[in-house]
Amino acid sequence: MGLLEGKNALVFGLANDKSIAWGITQAFHREGANLGISYAGEMLERRVKPLAEKVGCQWVEECDVTKDDQIAATAEKAAQHFGKIDVLVHSIAFAGKDELSKPYYQTSRDGFKNALDISVFSFVALTNAFLPIMNPGGSIMCLTYYGSVKVAPNYNVMGVAKAALESSTRYLAFDLGPQKIRVNAISAGPIRTLAAAGVGGFRDMYKHFADAAPLRENVTIDDVGNAAVFLASDLSARITGEVLYVDSGFNTVGVQISPKEEKSE
Ligand code: NAD
């Protein structure tokens, strides 16, 4: 029997088969969850619908999280289709190209607002909208990155947004704890996705990552999917307000040495 058998799980943020949301969706499917998928923008529809079919997902809804009416309508449709849900995944982020390439101090007011609105407030707004249909024992999660606690060149306003997202995770976990609903974040190592491609210098950082991480391996969307299964399942019943690192141990290393230096010792 799968770890998520009998659970209704909604995943927001599927763009294509490289998306972290796709790794999570496939892992949830493998573990027996009944799935719903949400995406943004008509452009993505032709990529998302065939993926949804692959995992037998009947509920596929467009939702731009900057629009309150779309969030409300999506929650209403979920209530009609599923009745109650057990798992809600937020795998959404956005910042403009300028914000991810120029120095942080040049961040524009609009760029800042937009990044924080889409990447952080939407997590709060989705939680609020879906709370009335969450079962006790439910699990809510979002995706974050280490650039929230340490400087990652060019990550800029997104690092600030991820810090706010991780803080929001703790505040939401505190609010929802009495209702036995858990809220956690997964901090994933760098993965080649559409969103990552927007971060200046990502390719170099990606290449360097496996040399520096204790496990000497890059992270895949399947790795993140498996961690999401744990957080969605009853195995993590007493874990809330946490940031779970899925990064081959990268965040635990304070001083990095290159592989060459390592060999010469
Ligand atoms: P992705 O591009 O596949 O996913 C980002 C998603 O955000 C897309 O589906 C996009 O449509 C959605 N989105 C953007 N604006 C939206 C809006 N207004 N309304 C609704 N959805 C909107 O890239 P990804 O890397 O899979 O990103 C998923 C999450 O994982 C993000 O929160 C990202 O910051 C986080 N993350 C990514 C990495 C990485 O290296 N790729 C590492 C750690 C965390």
Side-chain angles (χ1 to χ4, degrees), residues 13 15 19-20 40 63-65 91-93 143-144 162 188 190-191 193-195:
S19 293
I20 290 176
C63 179
D64 178 345
V65 295
S91 187
I92 292 172
L143 273 299
T144 185
K162 292 304 191 192
I191 300 176
T193 63
L194 219 60

Side-chain angles (χ1 to χ4, degrees), residues 13-16 18-21 39-40 44 63-66 90-94 118 143-145 155 158 162 165 186-196 202:
L14 184 61
N16 56 35
K18 307 281 183 291
S19 293
I20 290 176
Y39 65 97
L44 291 182
C63 179
D64 178 345
V65 295
T66 61
H90 175 285
S91 187
I92 292 172
F94 179 82
I118 297 177
L143 273 299
T144 185
Y145 175 63
Y155 203 59
M158 193 50 77
K162 292 304 191 192
L165 184 69
I186 295 177
S187 185
I191 300 176
R192 286 199 199 118
T193 63
L194 219 60
F202 176 84

Side-chain angles (χ1 to χ4, degrees), residues 3 8 36 50 98-99 117 151 161 187 216 230 261:
L3 286 168
N8 293 328
D98 273 0
E99 270 66 41
D117 184 20
V151 171
S187 185
R216 300 290 190 272
F230 168 67
E261 286 171 69

